[in-house]
Amino acid sequence: MARVRLQPASSSARFPSIDLADGEAKTLGRAAQADLVVDDPSLSRLHARLHVDEAGTLHVEDLESTNGVRVNGTRLPESALRAGDRVLFGSVEYVVSGGDGLRLIAGASLEPEVTRVPVAGAALARVDQMTLQALLTTSRELMAFADLPALLERVLDRLQAILKPDRAAILLVDAATGTLSPRAVRPPGAYTSVSQFASSTIVREALDTRTVLLIQDIEQQPRLQYAASLADADVRSAICVPLLGRTGAIGALYADRTGFGNRFGADVADVAAAFAAHAAAALETASLYDDRERHFRATLEAFARAIDARDAYTAGHSERVTAYTLALARASGLPDDQLETVRRAGMLHDIGKVGVPDAVLLKPGPLDPDERATMETHVTLGYRMLEGLPFLADALPTVRGHHERWDGNGYPDKLAGSAIHAHARLMAVGDTYDAMTSARPYRRPLAREEAARRIRVETGRQFDPAAVEAFVVIEPDFHALREGARRAESG
């Protein structure tokens, strides 16, 4: 029965796993007489010896190999090992993990001031009652979030309170590629990749070993002293906490402290491990919700495109109106966090047309008053269709109000001026520009210059003066978007 196990650090490696029982010893090398033959040119014929003593402790001994044995980056003639240690035989790397009944040393680490804590219930048992109560309160709060971006920010807020780091980040695994990327960082917006922010060595080791990795003093770690991501920020102490879901790692929490003498204490490891279990559960739930929301939104948008396609003369209308409105939103200085709401509203603003009869929607000529009234119901139909979807709540005023007029003569609610939602005021310009520059069965499209002139004429009547002002600034962008859409349609 295996007592301990060493596994190749890379899942794609061609090298075998190594199992040892109590009292067992095995040699490793390239030669056929080695107990464990590892066919790699960086290894000597008999490179190293591994054995488990009577106490269940694993040891490694360098057999005077050419390229040596390195434990966690340090070349050593021999050493005891513990779970999570990384052992380099030449250039072949293994990670020490558990077999059946693993009992590796839990005392001083080979790496000075390095602490590893399993992310499991054992960590909770070592947390005091007051901290445990705070963690449970945090857990309830986190589980109430269904919006993933907001949850990521709240997790970082809580991590800040627990660890008091100078920098922190949540790194999430991309399910499609398996790569890690920062999804929330402190300071906000400062980093766009893991390599800019964190030591990939620390993050990889924490995820591979499924343990909290706390480095109290970076300067005491030869393998980390010259890491550019740490040296550039003058990092003195770092901690990485794997976020483990039901089916595997979903990401990691990373934090560090910078400046001379600014270190984490050893006592934060258990609290961080316990916090990670709560955070991972909340993030996994929110990620599933986020995936469901994304797929549902894609379905709605496909539905909106299908509605556009019912009328050959307005095909692509929703995409174009979205592009125009986003351009106006940026020109107006709308905050970045509102652009997604504008995009959703643009793609779905005419979804209520699904309830408009074809005889009206596809009529090859101007509408009479009754038909016009029927067509105008599309905004309230769309509003009611989307009203029960929480992730579209912020888009609803624009879906309902993009045909309101600044002078109060629009529909459906006869709103005027600033009572009309700001996004709807912008969309009114984009929607009208697209309508005027699109062909209808009973008229040719207006020239773009004439459409722009009519928008300027309607300042303060149909349109918000500020929205028209933004349009005037980016009028060439509108024309370029229109021409690009025409080329795409004809090509």
Side-chain angles (χ1 to χ4, degrees):
M1 182 177 293
R3 187 68 162 175
V4 295
R5 176 172 298 144
L6 289 86
Q7 296 178 310
S10 172
S11 59
S12 61
R14 64 187 186 280
F15 308 116
S17 296
I18 302 170
D19 293 321
L20 295 97
D22 278 352
E24 187 175 12
K26 292 182 180 180
T27 56
L28 178 148
R30 284 191 297 113
Q33 62 264 39
D35 299 312
L36 301 161
V37 179
V38 177
D39 185 17
D40 187 271
S42 69
L43 269 66
S44 297
R45 293 174 58 79
L46 290 177
H47 196 100
R49 179 176 179 270
L50 296 159
H51 75 278
V52 180
D53 64 22
E54 294 179 355
T57 300
L58 174 64
H59 299 262
V60 63
E61 176 188 356
D62 186 355
L63 299 179
E64 299 183 355
S65 64
T66 301
N67 294 320
V69 174
R70 294 180 181 272
V71 179
N72 300 319
T74 302
R75 185 164 181 168
L76 299 168
E78 71 176 292
S79 181
L81 300 174
R82 58 181 290 170
D85 282 340
R86 305 181 79 88
V87 186
L88 201 64
F89 303 103
S91 61
V92 178
E93 188 174 31
Y94 277 83
V95 178
V96 181
S97 63
D100 299 313
L102 173 66
R103 183 175 178 272
L104 298 178
I105 61 170
S109 169
L110 295 169
E111 303 168 280
E113 298 185 273
V114 174
T115 302
R116 293 182 179 84
V117 174
V119 183
L124 287 171
R126 294 189 292 269
V127 174
D128 64 67
Q129 188 64 31
M130 184 177 298
T131 302
L132 181 60
Q133 185 60 46
L135 285 169
L136 292 174
T137 301
T138 297
S139 179
R140 285 193 293 270
E141 177 187 358
L142 295 181
M143 290 303 290
F145 278 81
D147 177 65
L148 183 59
L151 175 60
L152 292 170
E153 294 299 324
R154 184 54 61 90
V155 169
L156 272 191
D157 289 343
R158 291 303 183 213
L159 188 70
Q160 195 81 22
I162 293 170
L163 299 181
K164 298 178 174 59
D166 293 313
R167 309 187 310 163
I170 299 176
L171 315 170
L172 292 187
V173 176
D174 185 311
T177 65
T179 58
L180 280 169
S181 61
R183 291 291 300 274
V185 299
R186 296 283 190 275
Y191 309 97
T192 58
S193 71
V194 175
S195 60
Q196 285 180 303
F197 184 86
S199 162
S200 58
T201 300
I202 293 174
V203 174
R204 186 189 65 228
E205 187 168 329
L207 286 170
D208 285 350
T209 61
R210 301 168 71 89
T211 59
V212 176
L213 184 61
L214 169 61
I215 312 291
Q216 290 178 258
D217 189 349
I218 295 291
E219 291 187 341
Q220 296 299 315
Q221 309 304 312
R223 64 194 176 116
L224 299 175
Q225 283 180 2
Y226 303 106
S229 58
L230 301 179
D232 290 349
D234 193 25
V235 174
R236 300 305 177 98
S237 189
I239 185 170
C240 187
V241 190
L243 297 168
L244 305 176
R246 286 164 290 183
T247 58
I250 61 174
L253 300 177
Y254 176 89
D256 57 33
R257 290 183 178 177
T258 61
F260 181 75
N262 191 11
R263 304 179 188 174
F264 291 115
D267 58 327
V268 304
D270 284 335
V271 178
F275 174 75
H278 294 292
L283 286 168
E284 187 171 43
T285 299
S287 294
L288 291 172
Y289 185 89
D290 193 53
D291 287 343
R292 183 181 64 183
E293 175 186 319
R294 186 164 51 251
H295 291 313
F296 191 36
R297 185 171 66 243
T299 300
L300 288 175
E301 291 178 357
F303 192 26
R305 291 187 184 97
I307 293 166
D308 284 353
R310 287 172 66 194
D311 182 355
Y313 288 93
T314 60
H317 171 72
S318 294
E319 285 95 335
R320 293 193 300 272
V321 170
T322 300
Y324 296 142
T325 310
L326 283 171
L328 288 170
R330 294 186 181 100
S332 301
L334 208 66
D336 288 348
D337 60 2
Q338 293 186 33
L339 296 182
E340 174 60 17
T341 299
V342 170
R343 192 190 69 79
R344 294 180 186 185
M347 288 304 303
L348 299 170
H349 76 285
D350 274 349
I351 197 168
K353 286 182 178 178
V354 69
V356 176
D358 283 353
V360 174
L361 185 67
L362 307 180
K363 183 179 178 181
L367 303 179
D368 64 31
D370 289 340
E371 291 166 338
R372 170 59 57 187
T374 298
M375 178 66 81
E376 290 179 358
T377 64
H378 79 275
V379 292
T380 51
L381 287 171
Y383 180 88
R384 288 199 295 271
M385 286 174 63
L386 305 175
E387 192 174 14
L389 304 176
F391 61 90
L392 293 175
D394 291 342
L396 288 177
T398 307
V399 172
R400 185 180 181 96
H402 65 278
H403 283 294
E404 299 288 2
R405 291 174 53 105
W406 185 256
D407 60 12
N409 292 319
Y411 64 89
D413 300 311
K414 302 295 183 182
L415 300 178
S418 60
I420 306 167
H421 194 282
H423 298 178
R425 286 179 252 152
L426 296 173
M427 188 170 291
V429 174
D431 188 48
T432 302
Y433 178 88
D434 191 66
M436 288 191 294
T437 56
S438 297
R440 298 300 295 159
Y442 50 88
R443 66 159 173 80
R444 296 171 59 83
L446 293 181
R448 62 191 191 184
E449 294 79 12
E450 175 59 17
R453 185 192 69 79
R454 294 188 185 190
I455 286 174
R456 290 193 293 270
V457 166
E458 287 297 318
T459 299
R461 292 188 295 185
Q462 183 174 352
F463 303 120
D464 175 2
V468 176
E469 184 178 339
F471 169 78
V472 170
V473 171
I474 62 166
E475 184 179 330
D477 296 341
F478 262 56
H479 300 333
L481 287 168
R482 174 69 262 191
E483 291 308 308
R486 280 185 175 149
R487 285 194 297 271
E489 290 162 8
S490 61

